[in-house]
Amino acid sequence: QVQLVESGGGLVQPGGSLRLSCAASGFTFSRAAMSWVRQAPGEGVEWVSSIGTLGNTPYALYADSVKGRFTISKDNAKNTLYLQMRSLKPEDTALYYCAKGGRSNYELPPVRQGTQVTVSP
């Protein structure tokens, strides 16, 4: 059973930084592509970033809205996914979820917690 537990969110001023973590279990994390997605109040789910390998080549993908500000990383020894967020903007305010899978095939668990990021003066 896939379990994903996000943490690290909080309230931060514009221009600030946060690092989100996602503890994964129930599957072979080292072989899995992983993604971060977010959902702002009243909005649909927005894909943010993905990390994985294509053949033997690692890749990291970012939505245009976060490119250059966010960095995704994966610690296979700790079964943990990270999202380092810098230069945060009010429009980054959302509930952030991690998901198993890449950009085109990520799956959100039916029961999910997420971690709230609020960017406000």
Side-chain angles (χ1 to χ4, degrees), residues 10 17 43 53 88 113 115:
S17 298
E43 302 289 333
T53 56
L88 283 161
Q113 170 185 304
T115 187

Side-chain angles (χ1 to χ4, degrees), residues 9-20:
L11 174 63
V12 63
Q13 293 186 342
S17 298
L18 283 173
R19 188 176 81 155
L20 307 184

Side-chain angles (χ1 to χ4, degrees), residues 70-87:
F70 291 10
T71 303
I72 191 171
S73 61
K74 197 167 174 268
D75 187 334
N76 290 331
K78 295 183 178 180
N79 279 13
T80 302
L81 179 72
Y82 300 100
L83 186 69
Q84 178 68 52
M85 306 187 295
R86 298 182 175 88
S87 303

Side-chain angles (χ1 to χ4, degrees), residues 1-2 8-9 14 17 24-26 29 51 62 64 77 82-83 103 117-118:
Q1 179 180 351
V2 173
S17 298
S25 61
F29 182 78
I51 188 169
Y62 300 93
D64 288 344
Y82 300 100
L83 186 69
R103 177 179 183 178
V117 172
T118 303

Side-chain angles (χ1 to χ4, degrees), residues 2 4 6 10 13 26 31 34 53 61 64 69 72 79 91 93 96 104-105 108 114 120-121:
V2 173
L4 302 169
E6 302 91 344
Q13 293 186 342
R31 296 181 182 178
M34 296 293 296
T53 56
L61 301 175
D64 288 344
R69 300 188 297 120
I72 191 171
N79 279 13
E91 51 263 44
T93 296
Y96 283 70
S104 60
N105 65 350
L108 286 168
S120 179

